[in-house]
Amino acid sequence: MNQIPVIQFQQDEYGDELLINIMTLDKIRSHRTYQKVLRHSFYGVMLTMEGEGDIEVDGVSSTATKGTVSVTRPGDVCTIKKDGGLFSLYLVFERDFLLSFFNNLHFLDSLPFFSHRRNSPFIRLNELMYNRILKIFLDIQFEITHDRNQHLLRAQLHETLILLQKQYPIEAPGKMSTDTRIARF
């Protein structure tokens, strides 16, 4: 685990401290620190738009095609095993960006796809939800490159996470941990 590089969030990419960014997978691939196996210190939501690829997040594998979302938490080990022209938008953010404004400090932990008890880091979107989330991603990208209004960006991120929660498959009762001490920790 210590051999896997940890990618840190670049807070000063836009001149001031903006703890949210959106980029293409191509931009990530071209970065000097890119490796096929990595960890990062931030949250990520990758929306696949074209192509096909085999992705693994913390030991769970899936074939990503149009409409597949993969979500990552700080410390998750991510691998793109097979890349058949995968084109994706990758939304990344720091915990403090969202939680510095909202009162619920456990909001991110309450989302099933960020939970330590999640059954999968992958979400398959139907066509309607894919188009809706893609529009939000493009709106976020526009806002970051133009006005950088943090309140609007927080609202767009919050909307994205709630929509993903609605699409996340319900966990089977047998897969959930019964140890409440772990959840409280």
Side-chain angles (χ1 to χ4, degrees):
M1 189 76 140
N2 292 336
Q3 306 289 333
I4 301 171
V6 178
I7 307 301
Q8 301 293 325
F9 193 90
Q10 294 181 342
Q11 296 180 359
D12 57 355
E13 185 170 339
Y14 295 99
D16 55 354
E17 193 173 293
L18 188 62
L19 300 178
I20 186 170
N21 199 357
I22 196 161
M23 62 200 86
T24 64
L25 186 57
D26 287 341
K27 181 178 178 183
I28 295 168
R29 284 187 198 107
S30 68
H31 196 271
R32 60 181 167 73
T33 60
Y34 175 74
Q35 295 186 21
K36 287 194 178 231
V37 179
L38 54 89
R39 293 181 298 149
H40 40 71
S41 65
F42 44 83
Y43 289 86
V45 178
M46 188 171 78
L47 174 64
T48 301
M49 299 165 58
E50 294 177 14
E52 184 176 301
D54 291 336
I55 299 174
E56 183 177 299
V57 178
D58 261 10
V60 179
S61 296
S62 182
T63 299
T65 57
K66 179 183 175 184
T68 302
V69 172
S70 59
V71 289
T72 55
R73 307 165 293 199
D76 281 352
V77 176
C78 308
T79 309
I80 297 179
K81 292 185 166 195
K82 183 181 106 188
D83 186 350
L86 199 60
F87 183 76
S88 303
L89 285 176
Y90 197 38
L91 172 64
V92 296
F93 63 96
E94 289 279 352
R95 180 181 200 88
D96 289 346
F97 178 74
L98 194 59
L99 300 184
S100 63
F101 186 73
F102 293 112
N103 289 333
N104 183 355
L105 297 178
H106 299 289
F107 171 72
L108 289 172
D109 301 323
S110 72
L111 297 170
F113 46 84
F114 285 141
S115 167
H116 70 279
R117 300 183 305 178
R118 70 181 177 193
N119 61 348
S120 175
F122 300 101
I123 304 167
R124 304 249 185 242
L125 302 178
N126 60 40
E127 189 70 22
L128 180 66
M129 194 59 75
Y130 167 79
N131 290 327
R132 191 168 173 189
I133 290 178
L134 176 59
K135 182 184 180 323
I136 297 169
F137 270 46
L138 296 174
D139 289 345
I140 290 171
Q141 192 173 41
F142 179 85
E143 188 62 31
I144 288 172
T145 57
H146 289 85
D147 295 329
R148 291 190 290 279
N149 182 303
Q150 292 193 23
H151 296 296
L152 180 56
L153 288 166
R154 278 188 195 94
Q156 291 167 325
L157 174 58
H158 190 260
E159 181 181 9
T160 300
L161 296 175
I162 294 300
L163 291 173
L164 289 174
Q165 181 180 22
K166 290 171 72 171
Q167 289 288 287
Y168 192 72
I170 298 172
E171 294 179 343
K175 290 198 168 215
M176 296 181 70
S177 170
T178 56
D179 192 344
T180 57
R181 293 176 295 173
I182 293 173
R184 282 196 314 259
F185 176 75

